[in-house]
Amino acid sequence: MDIREFNFSVKRYRSTTTDSKDRSLKEICLQAARKHFTALGIKAILDLPVALIKDVLPHLTVCQLDQLQPALNQREISTYSGWVGIIRDIWGPNHVIDVHTEEEAKHEVMKCLFPLVFYGFRNNYTTRNSTNLNTPSFLWAAAKCIHHFLISTNLPKPLQSLTAENWPLLNLFEERIRSVTLSHSLDLSQRKTQLGLYVFHRLFDHGKARKLTIHMQCPMILAWLLHGRGSQYVDPKLKDLLDKGKAACTLQADDQDDQATPCKRSKLDFKEEEESGKEDINVDPQCLCRAFTPFEGPSAGACPWGQIHCLEIRECGPGSFRLLSSVLPTFFCLHSLTLHSIMTLRDPEVMDLAGALKQLSDSSRSSLADLKISILPNIMSMEFLLDSCPSVTSLQVEIQELMWGVRPLPPYSRAAEPDFLPVQLALEKLTVKVTELQTDVLIVTSVLRRSPRLTSFHVAGMRLHTSSSQSHLLTTLSESNPCLRSLFLEDTKLSDCFPDILKLLRHSRLEELRFHDCRLLEKCLDKEENLQLLVAAVKTVPSLHTLGLAQNRIARSVCVLADLFTGSSTSSVKCLDIRSNFIQPAELLEFATRIKTHPPKHRLTLDLRRNPGDRDPDTWCAALDMLRPFTVLLVEGWKSTDTMVDHLSNM
């Protein structure tokens, strides 16, 4: 089909009524627009009626959408539907789309596809669209959108291309990339490691990347990555290695003919060099630039040193922990630190980390604000870490008992020490995920009372003594945290705390409230009555826009939630999460019928995932159709044959 045939088909489509033949003709036209996009040109697409343009968008390739987007935006036409169509094609029809703007959807597509195409990985989508994706134009289009880059030395050839035919991409990455992930183990005795370190050097030292994520256990590599990029600490073994490299690099430069143009290597034969068994690898950043950078590259003079502002270590072993304890006291530029230990930390390791953090905090130059640590041995460790760096504004910890069979520690808090002077904390966000047989709630409430600026609190899995209640926690939140805006209680028994929840709501300015798997209605004789009390309390909080009640066995009582939007005063809730509540199709239909009578003032995002819609698909679909005009539905497939999930949701 050429341009004339395409235009004739479009005219015929405009002039006829829509029957089955016309719909078939329309599909042919849309597929032809994709296939002959280059021959047609952008103008041919732009000359179509707006309705047809919107119809053709989901049929276009990634590069075609990217090429059309600027011109369509000038006509105030969004390509959002096209990008969302690609997301659904990648992840499947049941994938929940959590992007709301054109740029968010485009970034999601590029973030997903770029590493797959660049490193040659395969999934169903890249296999079906290999002709459109395995092109320089796609790599260039994606590189202009992404802000994160993965360095995988297990596949050196794609990285090697950045020093040869894909050299312009590396220049673009210097301007675009803000965060880098290093995966797989790196060995300084291997040639391919040089290439990975060189790309890192370009992105961090010559470029604008400031966030580093590491998936490996190698203290020497960690020392190289941190060297000169924020801390004054120098690892002795690394210093010797770098000094040898600098000396070798100087000798090599002196041996070159000053009158001749230096010949720099743009490629390495990794197979040949690895088989040669050479281990005299030069890892000095300046020498790496000389080895890999073409003449027009950035390293004509001395290489700059970048700074690491955000550091995340996903597999932090004992050696890396010891190195960090030496690095942290002078890591003044560090804003965020995330450490995931490969095993539960022991008390001496926690004390070493706390000591290093205290030295950093005591200096007036510290900028550390965000701290995430896992896995701590007990809840007391959290308090020690906070006392060592009271200026952090965000703390996230995961706590797990050191071993099975350890007797629970008696209730204890640093506040009970005679010489302990409680310091007010700067905390604004606190997340505590606990796996303990018994948690000392007094430590948690002590931290809350010392955090008057706390705006977000998330606690999961906190178990108390059988005779204890979470009411003390809720009372503390009501009395000590007036700035609280987001409260997320998860896997926490609240069945005997209904009065405290209602009191908290009456005296709060919450914007987000989530009770996930909290057994809210477990001890209620009349579930609907208690749910009505909760709905009435929620309606008294005008700032509340998100309400999460996932996995609370609401089931047939779901209709009560429609009352959020009825009466003289209505709720401001814009997002309602009722996942995993065993809501059956007939119950959802009744909910939809009631809420249709009094629809929300604002478009409501309704999360219905993991509810048994397949029990009666026709009724379920009828309920969804009734809800769609005034809600954004988050749904996914459910398999009632999965009896365990079914049982747990209906307990």
Side-chain angles (χ1 to χ4, degrees):
M1 179 180 286
D2 59 19
I3 297 177
R4 287 176 297 178
E5 292 173 322
F6 177 76
N7 288 335
F8 174 76
S9 298
V10 171
K11 289 178 181 178
R12 180 182 171 191
Y13 171 76
R14 292 176 181 173
S15 63
T16 56
T17 57
T18 304
D19 55 18
S20 60
K21 292 183 179 179
D22 293 319
R23 286 195 295 270
S24 178
L25 177 60
K26 179 181 178 181
E27 289 299 318
I28 292 173
C29 292
L30 298 178
Q31 293 294 338
R34 170 191 172 113
K35 183 177 180 180
H36 302 284
F37 182 86
T38 302
L40 291 169
I42 294 179
K43 188 176 185 303
I45 304 295
L46 295 176
D47 287 341
L48 295 174
V50 174
L52 268 181
I53 291 177
K54 292 181 178 179
D55 287 338
V56 81
L57 290 179
H59 292 77
L60 299 180
T61 68
V62 173
C63 291
Q64 290 167 357
L65 272 175
D66 179 66
Q67 192 175 350
L68 270 175
Q69 182 172 316
L72 290 177
N73 289 164
Q74 287 183 356
R75 291 187 58 185
E76 297 184 351
I77 300 174
S78 172
T79 57
Y80 175 81
S81 62
W83 296 114
V84 168
I86 294 174
I87 294 174
R88 293 196 186 281
D89 202 2
I90 295 172
W91 297 112
N94 292 327
H95 179 74
V96 174
I97 306 297
D98 194 21
V99 291
H100 307 287
T101 66
E102 179 184 57
E103 284 304 314
E104 286 178 354
K106 180 178 179 178
H107 178 76
E108 185 71 18
V109 170
M110 298 305 192
K111 181 179 69 173
C112 172
L113 292 180
F114 180 83
L116 296 177
V117 176
F118 182 75
Y119 283 107
F121 300 132
R122 289 288 181 267
N123 64 9
N124 291 334
Y125 182 85
T126 57
T127 301
R128 293 196 314 270
N129 295 273
S130 58
T131 303
N132 302 314
L133 294 176
N134 294 328
T135 62
S137 59
F138 166 75
L139 290 177
W140 186 257
K144 291 189 295 183
C145 297
I146 62 173
H147 302 290
H148 178 81
F149 187 76
L150 169 69
I151 298 178
S152 176
T153 56
N154 277 11
L155 298 167
K157 287 188 177 180
L159 292 178
Q160 186 181 353
S161 73
L162 294 177
T163 67
E165 66 272 14
N166 283 330
W167 173 258
L169 281 181
L170 190 54
N171 290 331
L172 180 62
F173 287 155
E174 285 187 2
E175 298 298 321
R176 303 290 304 181
I177 297 300
R178 296 295 184 269
S179 66
V180 175
T181 292
L182 276 81
S183 67
H184 307 298
S185 297
L186 296 178
D187 187 346
L188 290 180
S189 66
Q190 294 182 1
R191 292 287 183 186
K192 64 182 181 181
T193 298
Q194 278 187 309
L195 189 55
L197 298 184
Y198 166 70
V199 173
F200 173 86
H201 167 65
R202 286 289 303 275
L203 298 179
F204 261 87
D205 298 334
H206 293 284
K208 298 180 180 179
R210 294 296 177 262
K211 179 180 179 179
L212 172 62
T213 302
I214 308 171
H215 290 262
M216 65 184 70
Q217 301 178 48
C218 181
M220 183 58 75
I221 291 292
L222 179 61
W224 188 94
L225 295 170
L226 301 183
H227 178 77
R229 297 180 177 92
S231 176
Q232 298 173 6
Y233 174 79
V234 180
D235 183 83
K237 293 182 180 179
L238 178 65
K239 185 177 184 300
D240 291 342
L241 188 62
L242 292 174
D243 288 343
K244 290 178 182 178
K246 290 177 182 178
C249 193
T250 302
L251 288 174
Q252 183 180 3
D254 291 342
D255 289 341
Q256 290 179 347
D257 184 2
D258 292 338
Q259 303 301 319
T261 303
C263 180
K264 295 186 179 181
R265 302 169 61 190
S266 61
K267 295 186 178 181
L268 289 179
D269 188 343
F270 292 102
K271 182 176 180 182
E272 177 183 346
E273 294 189 351
E274 287 177 5
E275 289 177 351
S276 68
K278 293 182 180 180
E279 295 188 359
D280 52 338
I281 306 299
N282 193 340
V283 294
D284 178 69
Q286 187 81 35
C287 298
L288 288 175
C289 257
R290 293 179 182 178
F292 289 99
T293 305
F295 309 125
E296 69 275 10
S299 60
C303 290
W305 289 94
Q307 289 188 336
I308 296 174
H309 293 169
C310 302
L311 175 63
E312 180 175 356
I313 306 178
R314 302 295 303 180
E315 300 176 10
C316 194
S320 298
F321 230 93
R322 286 192 294 271
L323 176 69
L324 278 170
S325 295
S326 301
V327 169
L328 281 175
T330 56
F331 212 150
F332 302 126
C333 67
L334 191 64
H335 299 165
S336 174
L337 175 63
T338 302
L339 302 178
H340 296 275
S341 175
I342 58 176
M343 60 186 68
T344 302
L345 296 172
R346 297 182 179 273
D347 287 339
E349 294 171 319
V350 175
M351 293 301 102
D352 288 344
L353 177 62
L357 289 171
K358 181 171 177 52
Q359 292 182 57
L360 176 63
S361 180
D362 287 345
S363 70
S364 58
R365 299 168 60 185
S366 173
S367 57
L368 183 64
D370 185 2
L371 183 61
K372 300 182 181 70
I373 307 289
S374 64
I375 306 169
L376 295 176
N378 49 59
I379 195 71
M380 289 184 294
S381 305
M382 177 186 72
E383 193 175 30
F384 278 116
L385 289 175
L386 281 171
D387 289 335
S388 66
C389 49
S391 60
V392 296
T393 57
S394 176
L395 176 68
Q396 179 176 319
V397 294
E398 184 177 342
I399 297 162
Q400 185 173 316
E401 285 182 337
L402 193 58
M403 63 178 67
W404 292 104
V406 176
R407 294 178 59 188
L409 293 169
Y412 171 81
S413 174
R414 300 254 351 243
E417 296 180 3
D419 58 344
F420 177 73
L421 296 176
V423 177
Q424 191 176 91
L425 303 174
L427 270 183
E428 296 175 6
K429 296 179 64 176
L430 176 62
T431 300
V432 185
K433 298 183 179 181
V434 189
T435 305
E436 284 185 313
L437 295 177
Q438 183 177 322
T439 302
D440 183 5
V441 71
L442 294 179
I443 293 179
V444 179
T445 54
S446 171
V447 169
L448 292 175
R449 284 195 298 272
R450 296 165 58 196
S451 308
R453 289 188 283 175
L454 193 70
T455 60
S456 174
F457 180 52
H458 178 186
V459 62
M462 195 161 66
R463 302 285 186 271
L464 305 183
H465 190 271
T466 53
S467 61
S468 301
S469 169
Q470 300 287 2
S471 61
H472 185 44
L473 175 69
L474 294 168
T475 300
T476 302
L477 289 169
S478 298
E479 297 175 350
S480 303
N481 306 107
C483 299
L484 195 65
R485 297 293 178 270
S486 175
L487 176 60
F488 189 172
L489 302 183
E490 180 181 8
D491 189 18
T492 303
K493 183 182 176 183
L494 297 176
S495 56
D496 56 348
C497 299
F498 225 85
D500 302 286
I501 293 173
L502 300 180
K503 179 182 177 182
L504 174 66
L505 283 169
R506 284 194 293 268
H507 298 88
S508 78
R509 291 185 290 172
L510 286 170
E511 298 173 1
E512 178 182 18
L513 176 64
R514 295 183 183 272
F515 297 125
H516 287 196
D517 191 18
C518 290
R519 292 174 277 179
L520 282 177
L521 308 176
E522 184 179 78
K523 294 184 178 181
C524 299
L525 296 177
D526 189 336
K527 291 185 178 182
E528 290 195 5
E529 181 181 353
N530 280 66
L531 202 54
Q532 286 171 347
L533 292 174
L534 179 63
V535 166
V538 167
K539 292 166 73 171
T540 64
V541 187
S543 57
L544 193 68
H545 57 69
T546 299
L547 177 62
L549 299 172
Q551 206 169 337
N552 278 290
R553 305 158 197 172
I554 293 175
R556 62 179 59 92
S557 302
V558 66
C559 299
V560 175
L561 296 177
D563 293 340
L564 284 167
F565 310 106
T566 62
S568 56
S569 63
T570 60
S571 171
S572 303
V573 168
K574 298 178 183 179
C575 179
L576 180 61
D577 182 356
I578 47 177
R579 287 173 289 165
S580 304
N581 273 297
F582 203 68
I583 299 168
Q584 299 203 52
E587 295 155 0
L588 183 65
L589 183 61
E590 184 181 349
F591 169 81
T593 303
R594 293 178 63 173
I595 204 172
K596 181 181 179 181
T597 307
H598 299 281
K601 294 180 180 178
H602 306 282
R603 193 167 180 82
L604 178 69
T605 298
L606 185 62
D607 196 337
L608 294 169
R609 288 175 287 178
R610 301 187 69 79
N611 284 298
D614 68 337
R615 295 290 181 90
D616 184 352
D618 292 339
T619 303
W620 184 264
C621 290
L624 296 183
D625 289 341
M626 193 177 295
L627 289 167
R628 279 195 177 92
F630 43 85
T631 61
V632 176
L633 296 173
L634 303 182
V635 293
E636 64 183 5
W638 165 281
K639 295 180 181 179
S640 289
T641 53
D642 191 344
T643 54
M644 180 56 71
V645 174
D646 195 332
H647 169 69
L648 290 176
S649 297
N650 197 31
M651 285 176 60

